[in-house]
């Protein structure tokens, strides 16, 4: 009940009491009008009006008790009006007014009964027995302590005796029934039930006082009765106001609760009877025959209640037994196991499936769980199952098996409160885990040569980034392999590649990683200094120059090798450097090796300071344009940092990040990049989007959300205009905090993009981890072998599948105008690459935006799928 409603009720009560204070002195007995009755009629009408306003706000099936109460208030108002005006006879004359009052006082009792049946599981026979027992007990008490003494003394006699007895017995009947009916109520209705008990008690008090008035007339008792009546009506309105507007869940399964006031009334009445009887015997007081009969009736009712409880207990026991049998049958029939362990992890119960899964012997049905597990799993399982507080709800464990391969189980568990025991649900996931491992192996394995593939190579370079010691990367390409395919067919070419893989594995050390990149390209990641890598490269050239026998034919091919050193966090850079060295070897006549010698990263890190370069403006942003696939209009820019070095020239982003990593300045560079990119784009245009790359192995995940928020706030840029791009190598090489950090910035409105899509896992696997908005595809990495038609088919399939997930597709590194037109016709959301302006500084981008059309390529004029940025 809100504060205005409470104030209104208080004012109603005060107004009624004030009216009584004025009216009672002017309402002597036998005179008309009886102003106090008219005041009561007015208060009853106000209360009925309040109830009628509140009832429509309640659920339909909750209105009936309060409708009965409101109707009773109207009937009471009519009865008071008739009695007050004399139209229904004077008070105590058994006229129409008194008849209506008798009808009125039944309303609260009926309302309590209707409230009682709202409690879940309440049965009418039980309510009737409880109500009758408490009522009879109170009647016995009233008879022994009041009525018998009044009647025997002659105080109650004459024609009013029946009415006096009725008014005197009403408190026992009303309070007894209401107390028994409202002892158990729903949690939501508990306060309303309490208010109803208060109302009934006040009405009983008023009835008792009126009985005294009929025996001994006087304004004191009459005034007290009127005050009790006003307060009772106000309490009824309070009960209605406290009635909750229940939710759908509360309407279907209301929770029950004990009402303290009702419980006190019930216990007091039932215990009061034996106490009164004992006191009567001790004080040698006469016991009326009616009281004796009442005690006999009370005993019969209590016996009936006991029999009902015994029957109910029997039904509950039978239901529990049936439920236990059903549960046991369900557990025993389930292929998943169920087990219960105590505080020492000893098995107290195991279902048949659990005994099979855990290997429990019939000779020892209650072993310690840890004794059944693989030795390596025991400390972890003990820690999980005995930890206090938040623990993982599931775990994996292994059980030794007779065939040698351990059985793998997935276990979900929860503690039974207060029992010190824990319930385990076990499922055999041996086959599933084996398939998962096989799929993982296949994802990182070349299906032809069984060597690690490109994804595994980059993952290994990322995993070794923090390991001390020098490492080198060899990238090799077969010379003359195309002639083998053309002359002998692709099957012979495949067999030749398998033989090349075998020779490479036999040539190098066991801890060196040999990978097939695709086609006739291979790579070797080896530990050691550059001198050792040069020796290995020479051995590769010599061994692969020897003839190969494939079936009945002999082929002579050679190999060209490019090698470079791998620096921490420089996997992508090392691959580009080794590839550059490989091209040098090809240009030198093939069948040789070359070393990438221009290590500008080392020179820059040794001679200059990245922090100083950031402060002096040597680190700048360059922008690649991204055009809308439909209109050709400039829609976004791809920002990347470069180092304009005074001696070494312009160092691109990978070399800048590598130099910053060597000097421990990657955090400062990350902060500068985000802040500067947002600031520059805001100055260029109000709607231009900007994309920023996160570097592999160098992302400071903990600072990323705060730095993104600060950069956007400082520039005053909307979060949707910023896209953070990352590759799968970034996800693999960064800390575990990166995924939550990316979720945080995405929830703030920043877009997320996956770069180099198609070079590793599928879009589906990444969507399960991150809410991607964009994928960027490097058309150079598509396996087209010069077939542009095949490239377009693959790219079209990528764009189509991405659109199903509402993910945009951007094609990058588009080198020719012809490819640009074809890609836009395929439905690319956006395109970028050498066919468009790249490497621009901020003023140049701003000049393009000031162009009247801002178009960087011609609009598409042929029908095509709708694409939007």
């Amino acid at each position: 009940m809100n504060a205005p409603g409470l104030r209104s009720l208080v004012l109603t009560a005060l107004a009624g009491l004030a009216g009584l204070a004025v009216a009672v002195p002017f309402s002597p007995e036998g005179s008309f009008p009886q102003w106090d009755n008219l005041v009561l009629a007015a208060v009853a009408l106000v209360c009925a009006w309040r109830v009628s306003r509140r009832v429509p706000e309640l659920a339909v099936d909750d209105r009936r008790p309060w409708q009965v109460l409101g109707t009773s208030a109207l009937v009471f108002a009519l009865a008071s009006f008739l009695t007050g005006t004399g139209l229904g006879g004077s008070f105590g004359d058994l006229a129409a007014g008194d008849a209506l009052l008798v009808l009125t006082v039944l309303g609260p009792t009926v309302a309590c009964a209707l409230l009682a049946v709202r409690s879940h599981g309440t049965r009418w026979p039980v309510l009737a027995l409880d109500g009758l027992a408490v009522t009879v007990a109170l009647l016995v008490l009233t008879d022994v302590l009041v009525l018998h003494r009044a009647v025997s003394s002659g105080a109650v006699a004459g024609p009013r005796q029946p009415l006096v007895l009725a008014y005197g017995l009403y408190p026992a009947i009303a309070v007894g029934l209401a107390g028994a009916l409202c002892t158990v109520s729903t949690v939501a209705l508990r306060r309303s039930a309490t208010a109803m008990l208060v109302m009934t008690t006040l009405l009983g008090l008023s009835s008792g006082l009126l009985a005294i008035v009929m025996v001994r007339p006087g304004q004191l008792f009459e005034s007290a009765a009127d005050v009790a009546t006003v307060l009772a009506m106000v309490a009824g309105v309070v009960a209605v106001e406290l009635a909750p507007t229940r939710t759908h869940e509360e309407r279907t399964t209301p929770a029950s609760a004990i009402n303290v006031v009702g419980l006190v009334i019930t216990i007091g009445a039932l215990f009061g009877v034996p106490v009164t009887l004992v006191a009567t015997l001790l004080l040698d007081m006469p016991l009326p025959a009616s009281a004796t009969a009442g005690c006999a009736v009370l005993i019969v009712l209590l016996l009936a209640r006991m029999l009902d409880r015994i029957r109910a207990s029997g039904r509950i026991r039978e239901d529990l037994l049936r439920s236990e049998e059903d549960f046991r049958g369900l557990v025993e029939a389930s292929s998943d196991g169920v087990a219960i362990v105590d505080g020492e992890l000893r098995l107290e119960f195991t279902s048949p499936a659990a005994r099979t899964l855990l290997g429990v012997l019939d000779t020892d049905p209650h072993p310690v769980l840890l004794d059944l597990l693989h030795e390596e799993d025991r400390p972890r399982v003990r820690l999980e199952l005995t930890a206090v507080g938040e623990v993982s709800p599931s775990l994996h464990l292994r059980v030794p098996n007779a065939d040698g391969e351990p059985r793998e189980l997935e276990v979900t568990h929860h503690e039974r409160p207060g029992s010190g025991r824990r319930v385990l649900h076990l499922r055999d996931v041996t086959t599933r885990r084996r398939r998962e491992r096989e799929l993982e192996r296949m994802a990182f394995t070349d299906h032809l040569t069984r060597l690690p593939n490109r994804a595994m190579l980059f993952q290994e370079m990322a995993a070794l980034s923090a390991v001390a010691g020098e490492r080198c990367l060899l990238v090799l390409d077969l010379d003359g392999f195309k002639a083998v395919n053309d002359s002998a067919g692709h099957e012979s070419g495949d067999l030749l590649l398998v033989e090349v893989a075998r020779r490479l594995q036999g040539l190098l050390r066991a801890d060196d990683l040999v990978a097939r990149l695709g086609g006739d390209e291979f790579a070797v990641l080896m530990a050691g200094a550059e001198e050792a890598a040069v020796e290995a490269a020479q051995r590769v050239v010599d061994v692969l120059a020897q003839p190969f026998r494939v079936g009945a034919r002999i082929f002579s091919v050679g190999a060209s090798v490019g090698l470079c050193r791998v620096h921490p966090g420089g996997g992508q850079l090392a691959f580009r450097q080794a590839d550059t060295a490989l091209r040098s070897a090809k240009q030198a006549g093939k069948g040789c090796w070359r070393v990438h010698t221009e290590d500008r990263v080392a020179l820059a890190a040794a001679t200059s300071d990245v922090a100083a370069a950031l402060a002096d403006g040597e680190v700048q942003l360059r922008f690649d344009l991204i055009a809308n696939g439909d209109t050709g209009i400039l829609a976004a820019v791809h920002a990347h940092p470069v180092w304009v070095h005074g001696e070494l020239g312009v160092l691109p982003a990978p070399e800048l990040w590598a130099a910053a990593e060597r000097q421990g300045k990657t955090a400062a560079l990350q902060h500068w990049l985000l802040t500067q990119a947002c600031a520059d784009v805001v100055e260029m245009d109000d709607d231009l989007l900007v994309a920023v790359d996160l570097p592999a192995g160098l992302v400071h995940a903990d600072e990323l959300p705060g730095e993104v928020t600060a950069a956007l706030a400082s520039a005053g840029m909307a979060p949707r205009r910023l896209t953070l791009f990352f590759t799968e190598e970034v996800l693999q090489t960064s800390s575990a905090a990166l995924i939550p950090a990316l979720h945080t910035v995405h929830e703030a409105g920043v877009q997320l993009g996956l770069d180099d899509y198609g070079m590793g896992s599928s879009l589906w696997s990444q969507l399960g981890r991150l809410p991607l908005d964009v994928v960027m595809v490097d058309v150079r990495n598509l396996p087209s072998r010069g077939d542009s038609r095949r490239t377009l088919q693959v790219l079209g399939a990528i764009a189509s599948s991405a659109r199903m997930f509402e993910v945009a597709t951007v094609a990058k590194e588009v080198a020719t105008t012809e490819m640009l037109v074809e890609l836009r016709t395929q439905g690319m959301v956006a395109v970028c690459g050498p066919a468009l302006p790249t490497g621009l500084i901020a003023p140049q981008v701003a000049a393009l935006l000031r162009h009247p059309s801002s178009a960087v390529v011609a609009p598409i004029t042929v029908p095509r799928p709708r694409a939007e940025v």
Side-chain angles (χ1 to χ4, degrees):
M1 186 166 59
N2 54 25
L6 180 60
R7 287 195 298 269
S8 176
L9 276 179
V10 171
L11 290 176
T12 301
L14 292 177
L17 295 176
L20 289 176
V22 175
V24 168
F26 298 98
S27 304
E29 184 179 3
S31 64
F32 295 101
Q34 290 285 316
W35 295 106
D36 57 340
N37 285 342
L38 295 178
V39 171
L40 293 178
V43 174
L45 287 174
V46 173
C47 291
W49 174 74
R50 290 291 300 268
V51 171
S52 66
R53 289 186 57 191
R54 172 62 175 155
V55 167
E57 300 175 1
L58 306 177
V60 175
D61 54 348
D62 289 344
R63 298 175 183 176
R64 190 170 301 167
W66 315 119
Q67 290 171 341
V68 170
L69 201 61
T71 303
S72 298
L74 289 175
V75 175
F76 180 79
L78 178 60
S80 298
F81 175 77
L82 294 177
T83 304
T85 58
L87 298 176
S90 61
F91 175 71
D93 289 344
L94 293 176
D98 288 327
L100 289 175
L101 285 176
V102 172
L103 181 62
T104 299
V105 296
L106 296 177
T109 304
V110 175
C112 288
L114 293 175
L115 288 178
V117 298
R118 303 300 303 165
S119 180
H120 182 64
T122 301
R123 295 182 295 126
W124 269 110
V126 174
L127 291 177
L129 286 174
D130 290 345
L132 288 174
V134 177
T135 301
V136 170
L138 288 176
L139 287 174
V140 170
L141 294 175
T142 304
D143 187 20
V144 173
L145 299 177
V146 180
L147 291 180
H148 175 69
R149 299 176 65 183
V151 173
S152 61
S153 65
V156 180
R160 288 190 173 186
Q161 181 177 352
L163 194 59
V164 172
L165 293 177
Y167 273 86
L169 292 176
Y170 173 76
I173 298 173
V175 175
L177 288 175
L181 293 173
C182 293
T183 298
V184 179
S185 64
T186 65
V187 173
L189 290 172
R190 181 163 49 187
R191 294 191 300 169
S192 293
T194 302
M196 288 299 299
L197 288 174
V198 173
M199 176 186 182
T200 306
T201 303
L202 289 171
L203 287 177
L205 175 62
S206 176
S207 178
L209 291 172
L210 289 176
I212 296 175
V213 169
M214 285 186 283
V215 177
R216 294 181 180 179
Q219 286 190 347
L220 178 61
F221 290 112
E222 185 175 358
S223 299
D226 290 340
V227 170
T229 303
V230 170
L231 296 179
M233 289 188 288
V234 172
V237 177
V238 171
V240 182
E241 292 289 347
L242 292 176
T245 304
R246 299 178 298 159
T247 62
H248 174 72
E249 290 76 10
E250 290 172 329
R251 289 199 295 270
T252 53
T253 55
S256 299
I258 299 296
N259 190 296
V260 178
V261 177
L263 183 63
V264 170
I265 293 174
T266 301
I267 294 176
L270 295 178
F271 276 90
V273 172
V275 172
T276 302
L277 293 178
V278 171
T280 301
L281 293 176
L282 293 177
L283 299 176
D284 197 19
M285 296 171 56
L287 185 64
S290 56
T292 304
C295 290
V297 173
L298 179 60
I299 293 172
V300 172
L301 292 174
L302 292 177
L303 288 175
R305 185 69 174 92
M306 184 179 298
L307 290 176
D308 180 78
R309 186 177 296 277
I310 292 172
R311 292 179 58 191
S313 299
R315 287 194 299 269
I316 293 174
R317 188 179 298 106
E318 292 174 359
D319 291 342
L320 287 175
L321 289 175
R322 282 196 297 269
S323 299
E324 183 178 354
E325 291 174 358
D326 294 341
F327 176 74
R328 184 178 296 275
L330 180 65
V331 169
E332 292 182 353
S334 174
S335 59
D336 293 345
V338 177
I340 300 177
V341 296
D342 59 14
E344 297 179 354
L345 301 185
R346 182 176 296 276
L347 292 168
E348 293 188 352
F349 167 81
T350 50
S351 66
R355 289 194 290 272
T356 301
L357 294 175
L358 293 173
V360 178
L361 302 177
D362 295 336
T363 56
D364 185 13
H366 302 291
V368 176
L369 175 63
L370 299 180
D371 295 341
L372 305 175
L373 306 183
H374 195 283
E375 188 173 356
E376 295 178 356
D377 293 345
R378 293 175 186 176
R380 175 176 54 85
V381 174
R382 177 187 292 278
L383 180 62
E384 286 284 344
L385 296 183
T386 59
V388 178
E390 290 292 331
V391 297
S392 173
S394 63
L395 58 94
H396 287 83
L397 51 84
R398 293 172 294 172
V399 178
N401 206 356
D403 59 4
E405 181 183 6
R407 180 183 291 113
E408 297 188 54
L409 304 181
E410 183 180 71
V411 181
T412 58
H413 58 94
H414 64 274
E415 185 177 5
R416 299 181 65 184
S419 67
R421 299 190 294 178
R422 191 171 289 273
V423 180
L424 312 179
H425 302 270
L426 304 97
R427 173 170 295 180
D428 190 347
V429 294
T430 305
T431 303
R432 191 189 77 190
R433 296 295 294 272
R434 186 190 306 119
R435 290 173 180 171
E436 289 176 353
R437 288 192 292 269
E438 179 63 19
L439 289 174
E440 184 177 2
R441 186 192 66 79
M442 292 173 62
F444 291 101
T445 303
D446 177 63
H447 71 280
L448 175 63
T449 62
R450 302 301 177 185
L451 291 176
N453 59 13
R454 184 191 189 102
M456 175 62 79
L457 172 67
F458 281 96
Q459 187 179 58
E460 286 295 319
M461 286 195 290
L464 295 173
S465 61
V467 178
E470 294 186 75
R471 287 163 295 126
C472 293
L473 176 67
L474 282 64
V475 176
L476 61 101
D477 181 271
L478 297 182
D479 302 326
F481 178 73
K482 186 176 184 299
V484 175
N485 277 338
D486 293 341
S487 61
H490 288 284
E491 183 177 356
S492 297
D494 290 344
L495 294 176
L496 177 61
L497 292 175
V498 172
E499 179 61 22
V500 170
R502 187 189 63 79
R503 289 190 185 183
L504 289 175
Q505 287 179 304
L507 178 66
L508 301 171
R509 296 169 299 186
D511 55 350
D512 294 335
L513 176 68
V514 182
R516 183 190 177 203
L517 302 178
D520 59 347
E521 293 184 349
F522 296 82
V524 179
L525 179 64
M526 58 183 300
E530 188 176 287
E531 292 77 9
V534 169
E535 294 179 3
Q538 185 61 55
R539 289 198 304 271
V540 168
V541 171
D542 294 342
V543 170
L544 296 186
Q546 299 176 9
F548 291 85
R549 177 179 293 277
V550 177
R553 303 186 62 173
I554 297 177
F555 299 99
S556 294
V557 296
S560 301
V561 182
L563 66 93
C564 70
R565 288 182 292 175
V566 181
H567 299 289
Q572 291 281 2
L573 177 62
F575 183 80
R576 284 192 290 269
Q577 291 176 343
D579 191 58
T580 300
L582 173 61
R583 289 197 297 270
S584 299
K586 290 283 189 181
Q587 294 170 0
K590 304 181 180 180
C592 61
W593 52 265
R594 289 291 182 271
V595 180
H596 182 80
T597 56
E598 185 186 0
D599 194 349
R600 297 197 300 171
V601 173
L603 291 174
T607 60
S608 304
D609 181 44
V610 173
L614 290 170
D616 297 340
E618 292 184 3
V619 177
Q620 303 173 5
L621 285 181
R622 294 292 185 268
F623 299 94
D624 298 339
L625 303 189
I626 301 177
N628 183 288
D630 283 325
T631 63
I633 292 177
L634 174 60
V637 290
H638 194 172
H640 50 87
V642 297
W643 188 352
V644 184
H645 198 279
E647 298 178 0
L648 301 176
V650 178
L651 275 67
E655 296 181 356
L656 170 58
W657 281 107
E661 195 277 334
R662 293 191 184 189
Q663 295 182 359
K665 299 297 192 310
T666 54
L669 181 56
Q670 173 179 296
H671 175 75
W672 178 90
L673 172 61
L674 293 169
T675 304
Q676 194 65 36
C678 293
D680 285 357
V681 170
V682 165
E683 291 182 0
M684 295 178 193
D685 187 71
D686 292 336
D687 298 317
L688 188 65
L689 309 180
V690 60
V692 175
D693 291 328
L694 300 179
L698 304 177
V699 181
H700 293 263
D702 294 334
E703 292 84 5
L704 183 62
E707 290 183 350
V708 169
T709 302
L712 292 171
S714 175
M717 189 172 80
R720 65 171 183 82
R721 296 175 59 188
L722 174 63
T723 301
L724 297 181
F725 271 101
F726 45 85
T727 63
E728 290 189 37
E729 184 183 6
V730 172
L731 300 178
Q732 294 169 352
T733 58
S734 300
S735 67
L738 178 60
I739 299 295
L742 292 175
H743 276 279
T744 300
V745 297
H746 187 268
E747 290 171 358
V750 175
Q751 306 291 299
L752 299 181
L754 179 64
D755 199 358
D756 284 345
Y757 169 61
M759 302 308 298
S761 302
S762 67
L763 175 62
W764 291 265
S765 64
Q766 295 302 335
L767 280 175
R769 303 175 64 193
L770 290 166
L772 296 176
D773 301 289
V774 187
V775 291
M776 186 175 286
V777 183
D778 190 338
V779 297
R780 299 175 304 175
N781 293 329
L782 298 180
S784 61
R785 296 179 178 271
D787 185 359
S788 61
R789 179 174 172 275
R790 184 64 173 172
T791 299
L792 293 174
Q793 287 179 339
V794 174
L795 198 54
I798 293 174
S800 177
S801 63
R803 280 196 296 271
M804 294 174 61
F805 294 97
E806 298 182 354
V807 175
T809 304
V810 178
K812 73 173 185 177
E813 299 301 334
V814 181
T816 65
T817 305
E818 293 78 10
M819 178 64 72
L820 176 63
V821 173
E822 291 293 338
L823 290 177
R824 295 175 62 208
T825 306
Q826 286 287 334
M828 293 297 103
V829 168
V831 289
C832 65
L836 301 175
T838 58
L840 304 181
I841 60 177
Q844 292 174 322
V845 178
L848 279 176
L849 289 169
R850 288 193 298 270
H851 191 273
S853 66
S854 297
V856 291
V857 292
I860 287 293
T861 57
V862 297
R864 48 159 293 167
R866 183 64 183 164
E868 296 180 356
V869 174

